[in-house]
Amino acid sequence: MVFAVLVGICSGLAALLLNRSLETMLEWLHPYRVYWWAIFLPAVGAALSSLFLDKIVNEGAGHGVPEVIYAVSRYGGLLRLRSSFSRLISSCLTIGSGGSAGPEAPVVMSGAAIGSNIARAFSLNDRQRVALVGCGAAGAIAAIFNAPISGMVFAIEVILGEWRTMNIIPIAIAAVAGTEVSRLLKGNQIAFAHRAFNIHYNDIAACVGLAIICALASILLTRALRSMHHVSKRVALPLWVRAAIGGCMVGVIGYFLPYVLGEGYHAIRTAIEGGFTGGLMLVAVIAVFKILATALTLGWGGSGGIFAPCLVIGAFVGLSFHRFLASVWSSVQWVNEGCFALLGMAGLISGILQAPLTGIFLVIEITGGYEVILPLIVVSAISTTLCHYVEPASFYLKDLVEQGQLLRPGTDARVLADLSIQELLETDCICVHPDMRLVKFIDIVKSSHRNYFPVEDPTTGRFLGMIQLDDIRPYLFDPAMHHAVLTGQLMNTHIQTVSLYDDLSDVLQKMDQGHIFSMPVVADNRFLGMISKATLLDQYRKELMVQTGRF
């Protein structure tokens, strides 16, 4: 808990550093947006960002949250020290120049790396390091939004994927520490203040339709981001050139629709305050082109997150839906359009992250809209559910799931990932030769407690097959066969083998499917030992107790 305070403070400072840097850069470049050549500003920023990540710090483009989740699930939260600042610099270049992305994911990466390296510096164990990674993520989100509950819920729901008291307490402390740093340096301000909303029953009923639209927009954004990434990879150009191309296209869109540029917080304030003067068509167009601009920025090599774009898209989706309702059912008294903008923000965050609690608490804390808690729950729950049916994995997890790299705590794959075949190898098997007579083999059986006997070539040592006692039992009790049969005639040559580096989840699945209780481990055609289901499950149980703290 003491380390949680330290991590929360450091990650909060990192978040504020990026926030101030973006404000300065956006303010500095704002006067030049009126010129035609301003379309190249996002291109320059994205190219510099890509070059910095690829050539200087040797990290891939993107937002970094999947890397944090991967580190938590596979390597006990181990992250490199340079990750604590690399995404801050790269995202500042991308977003500050006008790229359509958010600063939240980069500060999550930074905070998580800070927590990981503090844990490593003090030689903490894996469970403690994972908790501090969550503390870093929570402190960063809490500081950038002045929202401690949202930071805590995001770290637990998205980053760690498990609700455990051992994690919740330090993460909550880190979120509070990050928030207090933000309030000390920026003041206790609500990010998107609004006037009170008077919710009616018809507004709550309309939330079902809004949730469906938000789910569609979430799916569209997810697929646009992935499609742009695949299209970009097929272009035979250096990464920084591709990033510049994407940034230039964003600059062209932003020249005509300035609302799509940058993080877009000013657009959110306008929408929630009900001060957007454009018509229904313009609002819908901005939402669509914000999706396109975000896909071009991140899919083509820019650096940043999807939090802020989701909030902007959600605000304009909610705004357009309200204006549609007002035009079709003009006689019905609807709540102020700012309320629907707020609900749209929750719908997009919940849908694309498939994290309804994060969407609910984030929108409540950054807007102070506690009076809309009921419609918030409706929109977030329905949007998350619909997105899950169409896209079973969230945007952050989809690539990890497709590559088989997502190992959530407490799952079979996560427990087995911490075990290796070398740990489970049973080497007390007696090898026999194929030209050995059965009578001699019987003497070996008498001195062994094994039911499996590997057969090797006597000259080369090459693994030939296995003899299982259950398969040859009739021969053992027939004296006439003892001098007439050779072990080579009794061995099974069509037997499934395992290598030292096979995934234990796959090995266990093969055992279950083939009703096999032991399998030979073979490397370079040489027998190394046996792996048995009994030993595997025994070690599985011990590892599960360690990971869950029940030891």
Side-chain angles (χ1 to χ4, degrees):
M1 288 188 281
V2 173
F3 286 124
V5 175
L6 177 61
V7 172
I9 292 172
C10 292
S11 58
L13 290 172
L16 291 179
L17 175 64
L18 177 58
N19 189 259
R20 290 286 174 86
S21 300
L22 285 175
E23 289 176 355
T24 302
M25 195 169 176
L26 289 167
E27 185 179 348
W28 179 60
L29 292 176
H30 180 72
Y32 303 103
R33 299 289 182 193
V34 296
Y35 301 106
W36 67 268
W37 48 263
I39 64 174
F40 298 109
L41 291 177
V44 173
L48 291 174
S49 169
S50 178
L51 285 170
F52 173 76
L53 285 178
D54 189 39
K55 303 299 183 183
I56 298 179
V57 295
N58 193 29
E59 289 192 354
H63 38 78
V65 173
E67 288 90 333
V68 175
I69 298 172
Y70 179 67
V72 167
S73 66
R74 296 287 289 192
Y75 300 115
L78 279 174
L79 290 166
R80 292 172 292 191
L81 178 62
R82 61 178 176 266
S83 295
S84 60
F85 63 85
S86 60
R87 299 308 170 104
L88 299 181
I89 297 173
S90 62
S91 62
C92 184
L93 291 169
T94 298
I95 304 167
S97 62
S100 178
E104 300 82 14
V107 298
V108 166
M109 180 73 168
S110 176
I114 290 171
S116 176
N117 284 277
I118 287 177
R120 182 158 52 183
F122 288 93
S123 301
L124 303 183
N125 62 39
D126 284 7
R127 290 199 310 279
Q128 292 167 324
R129 184 169 55 245
V130 166
L132 289 188
V133 166
C135 289
I141 290 293
I144 206 165
F145 285 122
N146 188 21
I149 298 177
S150 301
M152 180 185 72
V153 171
F154 172 81
I156 296 171
E157 191 175 31
V158 177
I159 301 297
L160 302 188
E162 62 171 348
W163 295 81
R164 289 178 55 197
T165 305
M166 288 181 64
N167 291 335
I168 292 174
I169 294 174
I171 288 174
I173 291 171
V176 171
T179 304
E180 288 304 315
V181 168
S182 173
R183 291 177 179 177
L184 180 65
L185 299 179
K186 289 179 60 179
N188 186 10
Q189 302 173 356
I190 296 176
F192 307 107
H194 64 86
R195 64 174 182 265
F197 298 130
N198 188 16
I199 308 293
H200 303 285
Y201 289 112
N202 54 287
D203 298 314
I204 297 175
C207 286
V208 176
L210 177 60
I212 295 172
I213 302 298
C214 287
L216 293 175
S218 299
I219 295 166
L220 178 61
L221 177 58
T222 299
R223 295 189 174 180
L225 285 163
R226 291 172 59 81
S227 298
M228 283 296 179
H229 179 69
H230 293 316
V231 170
S232 171
K233 287 180 68 175
R234 290 198 293 266
V235 177
L237 290 171
L239 182 60
W240 69 271
V241 176
R242 284 182 275 155
I245 292 173
C248 189
M249 289 188 280
V250 172
V252 172
I253 297 172
Y255 186 77
F256 298 99
L257 293 171
Y259 281 106
V260 307
L261 295 175
E263 58 190 12
Y265 288 163
H266 60 290
I268 298 173
R269 292 188 183 94
T270 304
I272 292 179
E273 292 168 0
F276 193 83
T277 56
L280 169 61
M281 187 59 67
L282 178 61
V283 174
V285 167
I286 290 174
V288 172
F289 276 93
K290 183 64 177 178
I291 292 175
L292 178 61
T294 304
L296 288 168
T297 299
L298 300 180
W300 282 76
S303 181
I306 59 170
F307 251 89
C310 283
L311 294 174
V312 176
I313 295 165
F316 280 96
V317 166
L319 203 60
S320 58
F321 185 74
H322 180 277
R323 294 189 177 183
F324 170 77
L325 293 177
S327 62
V328 175
W329 291 284
S330 55
S331 59
V332 178
Q333 183 181 0
W334 300 102
V335 69
N336 180 271
E337 65 182 16
C339 178
F340 273 71
L342 184 152
L343 296 173
M345 290 160 59
L348 260 291
I349 289 290
S350 300
I352 201 164
L353 301 186
Q354 295 187 20
L357 292 180
T358 299
I360 292 168
F361 286 113
L362 178 66
V363 170
I364 287 176
E365 287 192 291
I366 65 177
T367 63
Y370 291 94
E371 69 273 16
V372 298
I373 184 67
L374 181 57
L376 267 179
I377 293 173
V378 172
V379 172
S380 296
I382 295 175
S383 178
T384 301
T385 304
L386 293 177
C387 287
H388 180 70
Y389 275 109
V390 179
E391 297 281 354
S394 72
F395 174 75
Y396 286 152
L397 305 181
K398 194 168 182 64
D399 286 339
L400 297 178
V401 170
E402 290 179 353
Q403 297 166 14
Q405 296 177 339
L406 179 65
L407 305 177
R408 281 306 201 187
T411 61
D412 285 347
R414 178 68 183 91
V415 176
L416 292 173
D418 285 338
L419 299 175
S420 66
I421 290 180
Q422 290 94 325
E423 296 177 69
L424 308 175
L425 198 61
E426 300 169 356
T427 58
D428 57 343
C429 298
I430 301 175
C431 296
V432 299
H433 299 151
D435 55 355
M436 182 183 293
R437 293 192 180 277
L438 182 58
V439 64
K440 189 174 180 180
F441 175 71
I442 292 174
D443 292 334
I444 293 174
V445 171
K446 291 177 182 178
S447 62
S448 173
H449 65 279
R450 286 282 180 181
N451 291 326
Y452 294 89
F453 297 86
V455 182
E456 292 181 340
D457 188 296
T459 57
T460 64
R462 188 168 62 91
F463 176 73
L464 301 176
M466 293 288 295
I467 296 177
Q468 185 179 358
L469 286 186
D470 288 344
D471 296 337
I472 65 166
R473 200 174 297 278
Y475 299 97
L476 297 177
F477 297 99
D478 186 352
M481 295 290 184
H482 288 182
H483 294 277
V485 177
L486 301 177
T487 52
Q489 297 172 281
L490 302 176
M491 70 176 178
N492 181 5
T493 57
H494 303 289
I495 190 167
Q496 293 190 69
T497 62
V498 177
S499 76
L500 280 175
Y501 305 103
D502 281 353
D503 190 287
L504 277 174
S505 295
D506 297 334
V507 173
L508 187 58
Q509 186 177 14
K510 288 179 182 178
M511 288 180 171
D512 289 337
Q513 291 176 346
H515 303 289
I516 303 169
F517 294 96
S518 290
M519 296 179 72
V521 181
V522 179
D524 297 325
N525 288 325
R526 292 185 178 274
F527 176 79
L528 301 179
M530 298 291 292
I531 180 171
S532 69
K533 181 183 285 189
T535 303
L536 193 157
L537 293 179
D538 183 55
Q539 287 297 115
Y540 171 93
R541 178 176 173 273
K542 292 177 181 177
E543 183 63 30
L544 181 63
M545 292 173 67
V546 170
Q547 291 191 13
T548 56
R550 293 184 288 110
F551 53 85

